[in-house]
Amino acid sequence: MSVLLQTIKLCLNRKPYNTSYCKCFSFRNKSDNSKRFITFDEVVAQRRAEAQKSLVVQVNSESSFNELYGYCSKYATVNDVHHYKNSNDEHYMLIEFSSEDNMKDVLQACSAHQKDVDIMSVQSPFLWFRAASGAKEKFPASNKLLAVKHGSCKIDEDVLFDELQNCETVSHQLQLLYDQTKLNDMDVRLRYMVARQLEVICSSLYANIAIKPFGSSVNGFGKMGCDLDLVLTNIVAPEMMDSKRRLVYQEKKCEGGRSPWQRHMELVATLLELRAPGAARVTRILNARVPIVKYSHEMADLECDLCYNNTSGVYMSELLWLLGSLDSRVRPLTFAVRRWARACSLTSPHPGRWITNFPLTLMVLFFLQQKRNDGIVLPSLKYLVKMSSKEDVRIAEENLNCTFLRDLNKLPEDSYSQSKDDLQTLLFHFFEFYAQFDFQDRAISINEGVPIRKPNALPLYIVNPLEPSLNVSRNVSFEECERLKMEVRNAAWHLESVLDGKKTDDWGLLGLIEKKTTRSLKKLLRVGNTHRLVSVKDLFVEDGEASEIKKLKTDEDIED
Ligand code: GTP
Ligand code: MG
C-alpha cells in the first residue's frame, strides 16, 4: 500500500477521542521530521483513482458478500468490498478492484436487463447482482472479509446524546460529536462514485471533462448526509494550447442567444434523466448567476448540486481543507458551531435571509486567527499567500487569483497552533469573541486575520477570501444578524455556567446542540404523555430531526 494511501486510511480511521488540545493523535506531529501534511491535490487524486477502479453493486443483503466476491474474483482482483444500505433499505457493495483495467474486465462480463426491451441498459459504475439461475455456483469461503459493514449509517441521535451526556468534559463532547458525525471513508468513496458516474456518461459526448466534488464533501467540514456539490470542468491539456500546432479543431458556435454552458448544462440534465441510473428529480436552475442542475441520487442517498466551471469553488474547498488540516482542533470546533447554529435555527436547509454553513465556517476560522494570550491557532490567508511560490499559482474563472501555499510542510512551525487552549476553552471564547464583536463597523476577513472596516452598511460582512470585494453573507438580514448576536451571547452564558462546574441535564454541548423542543418532546415521551400528541410521526420534519412540536396544547405544557 502506498504511503499516501496509508496516511489517508490512518487519518480516516482515527480513533476517538483525545480530550484537550490533541497534537498527539494528529498525523501532524510537530516533532516528526517526515512529511507531516499531504496536499489537497494528493487526496483528490487518490480518491478519483479509487473511484476509477470501483463499482457499486446492488445486492440482496450483506450476506451476498461471499457470492459476489467469489463471482467478481473470477474476472478480476478485488482490493476491498464496502457495504452500505440506503434509506430505502436497499443493500449495496462498493467494490474496489486492483486497477481500472481489472475493473473493466468485470464490466466486459456484465449483461443487460433482459426482461424489458423498453429499458435501455446503461454502462455506468452502478450495477446489480442477479440471483443465480439454476444450480447455485459454489464459491469457496474466502478469507477476505467485508472492509466495512453498514458503511454510511448515521449514528442514532439518541445514542449520540447519551454518549455526549456521559462525556467527562466539554472538550470530550466536541471531539465525540466530530468523530461520530463527520463523513467517513465509505461516504467519501460513494460521493466520488456519484461524480465518476456522471463523468463516465458525459465523457461519451465530451472529451476532457472532469466532474469533481467540492464544498463540504471534500473540505473537511462535511457531516454525514450533507449535500454533494459537484463541478463540471472542461480540462484543456497544456499541449492543446500549443499555438505551434497547425491543425486546429473547428469550433462549434452556439446559436440562440443563451450562453453555451447553459445549453450544455441543459444537456447534462437530460443525460441525468435518461442515462444515469439512480438519478431522480432532476431540476434545472439555469437562469441563475451560477446555473445549476439539482438532482437526487437514490442509490447513494445523496442530494446533488451540479454547476459548471466553478473552479474557484474547488480552490475555496482546498483552502478550507488546508486550514482544517493545520490544527486538529479546527474541525471539531467548526462541527460544534455548525451544529449549534442549526439547533437554534440560525441556519436552515433552505436558502433565505439567514447565514449558511460556509460563512459560519469562515467565522470560526477567523476566530482562530485572533491573537490571544499565547498566540494564534491559524495563520491568515495573507500569510499563506506570502509563503506561496510558483507552483502554487492558480487562476480560476474570470481571472480570479487563487494563489496560496498548498504544501503546509513549508510553513514555519511557529506560525500556527501557538495557542494551546483545549476545545472547550476555544468554544467558549468563540462565543465570547462574537458576543463582543463590533458587527456594526467591522467586517470578518480571513485574508487579514483581523477585523477590518466594513465597506458598506450591510448587517453582516464576511469577506469572500478568494474575491475580497464580495461579501459572502450579503443575504443576511438585520433581524437574522441580531439573532446571531443574541444566540452567541446565550451560548457564552450557557458554557460559562458549565465551565464553572455545574453539570446539569443539558450540560456543555448538549445545551447548545439539542433543540429545546426535541428535549421537551423526549421528556414528554419518557413520562408517557403521548396521548397529548395526535401523531408522534407528524412532529418530525426536515432530515428526520424534530424541529417543531406542532400538535401539543401549549408550550407551557411541554416545559412541565
Ligand atoms: P453544507 O453543504 O451546508 O454542508 O456546506 P458547504 O460548505 O458545502 O456549503 P454550500 O453547499 O452552501 O456551498 C458549497 C461551496 O460553495 C462552499 O464550500 C464554498 O466553497 C462555495 N460557496 C458557498 N457559498 C458561497 C458564496 O456565497 N460565495 C462563494 N464565492 N462561494 C460560496
Ligand atoms: Mg454543500
Side-chain angles (χ1 to χ4, degrees):
M1 206 188 304
S2 72
V3 175
L4 171 62
L5 187 59
Q6 268 173 349
T7 320
I8 294 175
K9 288 205 163 156
L10 209 104
C11 305
L12 293 164
N13 296 332
R14 257 188 344 226
K15 283 275 178 287
Y17 339 89
N18 204 313
T19 51
S20 52
Y21 167 46
C22 20
K23 239 163 70 173
C24 39
F25 84 105
S26 158
F27 69 100
R28 309 167 294 281
N29 186 346
K30 278 194 170 190
S31 60
D32 179 2
N33 285 331
S34 62
K35 198 176 168 190
R36 285 166 290 150
F37 299 101
I38 46 177
T39 66
F40 181 76
D41 282 348
E42 284 169 322
V43 177
V44 172
Q46 176 63 46
R47 288 299 189 183
R48 278 172 60 80
E50 247 169 37
Q52 270 167 24
K53 53 183 178 174
S54 299
L55 294 172
V56 178
V57 184
Q58 188 175 358
V59 291
N60 255 340
S61 71
E62 66 253 42
S63 53
S64 311
F65 165 70
N66 198 46
E67 213 178 330
L68 179 67
Y69 178 78
Y71 187 83
C72 290
S73 301
K74 289 201 301 190
Y75 303 97
T77 311
V78 174
N79 272 359
D80 277 320
V81 184
H82 308 250
H83 163 264
Y84 75 91
K85 209 165 83 167
N86 69 5
S87 55
N88 291 332
D89 268 349
E90 294 163 343
H91 293 258
Y92 293 86
M93 301 278 182
L94 192 157
I95 314 175
E96 185 194 312
F97 294 92
S98 66
S99 67
E100 191 178 356
D101 282 345
N102 225 266
M103 182 275 286
K104 283 184 178 157
D105 289 339
V106 179
L107 285 183
Q108 287 289 328
C110 282
S111 79
H113 205 291
Q114 287 160 356
K115 281 192 192 133
D116 190 343
V117 284
D118 285 341
I119 297 176
M120 206 184 285
S121 302
V122 179
Q123 294 201 351
S124 96
F126 285 80
L127 314 168
W128 60 279
F129 192 40
R130 202 198 310 261
S133 56
K136 248 192 174 177
E137 202 174 345
K138 284 263 185 304
F139 295 105
S142 75
N143 46 14
K144 191 103 183 165
L145 294 175
L146 264 178
V148 171
K149 212 180 205 182
H150 293 284
S152 63
C153 213
K154 277 193 206 163
I155 182 168
D156 182 285
E157 289 282 288
D158 285 342
V159 174
L160 177 66
F161 285 129
D162 284 347
E163 287 184 11
L164 289 170
Q165 184 74 47
N166 292 332
C167 283
E168 271 167 33
T169 63
V170 181
S171 295
H172 266 121
Q173 290 184 318
L174 266 80
Q175 193 63 47
L176 180 95
L177 178 76
Y178 170 64
D179 290 325
Q180 300 285 25
T181 59
K182 69 178 174 186
L183 289 176
N184 62 24
D185 178 50
M186 172 79 232
D187 288 307
V188 179
R189 281 175 185 269
L190 201 51
R191 282 159 195 264
Y192 275 87
M193 285 310 292
V194 170
R196 177 70 188 154
Q197 178 192 40
L198 192 54
E199 193 172 84
V200 169
I201 293 167
C202 289
S203 57
S204 62
L205 280 178
Y206 295 93
N208 310 317
I209 280 239
I211 296 192
K212 292 182 182 168
F214 73 106
S216 58
S217 297
V218 295
N219 68 16
F221 297 107
K223 72 168 179 113
M224 280 184 150
C226 67
D227 68 355
L228 170 59
D229 302 294
L230 292 170
V231 59
L232 184 155
T233 47
N234 187 14
I235 300 169
V236 185
E239 58 274 17
M240 293 277 285
M241 306 294 278
D242 185 351
S243 56
K244 292 198 190 81
R245 291 184 172 188
R246 294 195 48 205
L247 288 173
V248 183
Y249 289 109
Q250 290 282 0
E251 284 168 17
K252 174 70 197 167
K253 295 209 170 56
C254 271
E255 291 155 13
R258 291 215 283 159
S259 89
W261 277 101
Q262 267 177 331
R263 300 201 50 194
H264 291 302
M265 289 292 280
E266 207 166 76
L267 177 59
V268 173
T270 307
L271 285 174
L272 279 165
E273 283 168 338
L274 293 177
R275 303 293 292 161
R281 296 180 287 286
V282 179
T283 312
R284 297 149 173 86
I285 308 171
L286 301 177
N287 290 323
R289 196 176 60 87
V290 182
I292 58 168
V293 172
K294 290 172 106 52
Y295 67 103
S296 308
H297 202 291
E298 292 182 331
M299 296 182 192
D301 257 346
L302 287 171
E303 293 304 318
C304 310
D305 281 359
L306 172 75
C307 60
Y308 164 70
N309 206 22
N310 180 10
T311 16
S312 63
V314 180
Y315 294 141
M316 188 84 83
S317 307
E318 180 173 22
L319 175 62
L320 263 49
W321 186 86
L322 288 169
L323 291 171
S325 310
L326 206 45
D327 186 288
S328 58
R329 296 164 292 179
V330 180
R331 289 171 183 155
L333 182 69
T334 310
F335 265 59
V337 171
R338 284 167 77 140
R339 182 80 192 226
W340 155 80
R342 180 74 197 89
C344 52
S345 302
L346 283 172
T347 55
S348 153
H350 314 290
R353 292 168 69 77
W354 36 83
I355 194 163
T356 61
N357 278 331
F358 170 60
L360 199 59
T361 305
L362 294 180
M363 284 178 71
V364 181
L365 300 176
F366 180 70
F367 157 72
L368 292 170
Q369 292 172 329
Q370 305 310 300
K371 205 169 189 165
R372 296 183 313 106
N373 303 335
D374 43 357
I376 56 164
V377 175
L378 291 177
S380 65
L381 174 56
K382 198 166 72 179
Y383 185 70
L384 295 185
V385 174
K386 187 176 142 207
M387 298 299 289
S388 65
S389 47
K390 226 174 45 248
E391 64 269 25
D392 296 313
V393 174
R394 305 280 189 284
I395 307 295
E397 69 281 352
E398 291 172 21
N399 231 4
L400 275 187
N401 191 344
C402 301
T403 304
F404 47 83
L405 180 74
R406 263 61 193 190
D407 182 359
L408 296 177
N409 297 299
K410 292 183 183 159
L411 274 184
E413 294 201 2
D414 58 3
S415 64
Y416 60 94
S417 299
Q418 296 161 352
S419 161
K420 304 288 181 274
D421 283 339
D422 59 15
L423 282 169
Q424 65 188 35
T425 311
L426 287 177
L427 185 64
F428 174 61
H429 286 307
F430 169 84
F431 291 126
E432 214 184 37
F433 175 72
Y434 284 111
Q436 289 163 14
F437 191 81
D438 178 7
F439 288 96
Q440 171 98 24
D441 289 326
R442 298 279 148 183
I444 291 160
S445 161
I446 70 159
N447 305 51
E448 298 299 322
V450 290
I452 58 167
R453 183 167 292 283
K454 246 164 83 168
N456 60 34
L458 282 170
L460 182 61
Y461 203 106
I462 303 176
V463 174
N464 179 336
L466 299 180
E467 233 177 324
S469 61
L470 299 180
N471 172 11
V472 297
S473 54
R474 64 198 166 280
N475 61 312
V476 177
S477 66
F478 176 77
E479 292 74 20
E480 284 298 320
C481 187
E482 288 302 301
R483 242 164 46 72
L484 173 71
K485 290 192 230 168
M486 185 190 73
E487 293 292 356
V488 289
R489 279 197 301 268
N490 288 344
W493 177 82
H494 169 80
L495 276 184
E496 195 166 26
S497 64
V498 176
L499 301 181
D500 280 351
K502 291 176 209 151
K503 213 170 175 184
T504 53
D505 215 18
D506 63 351
W507 77 282
L509 198 54
L510 282 167
L512 298 178
I513 67 164
E514 202 179 13
K515 287 184 182 171
K516 209 169 169 214
T517 46
T518 319
R519 279 204 312 280
S520 312
L521 171 65
K522 278 188 195 148
K523 261 194 230 161
L524 252 174
L525 294 178
R526 233 178 270 141
V527 294
N529 277 342
T530 46
H531 65 276
R532 288 156 69 188
L533 312 175
V534 174
S535 154
V536 174
K537 216 173 112 206
D538 287 346
L539 304 175
F540 294 85
V541 293
E542 285 173 16
D543 314 333
E545 279 177 47
S547 70
E548 240 184 311
I549 294 187
K550 289 179 183 163
K551 313 260 162 129
L552 294 166
K553 283 181 189 163
T554 64
D555 269 3
E556 291 71 42
D557 283 345
I558 314 163
E559 288 309 313
D560 300 336

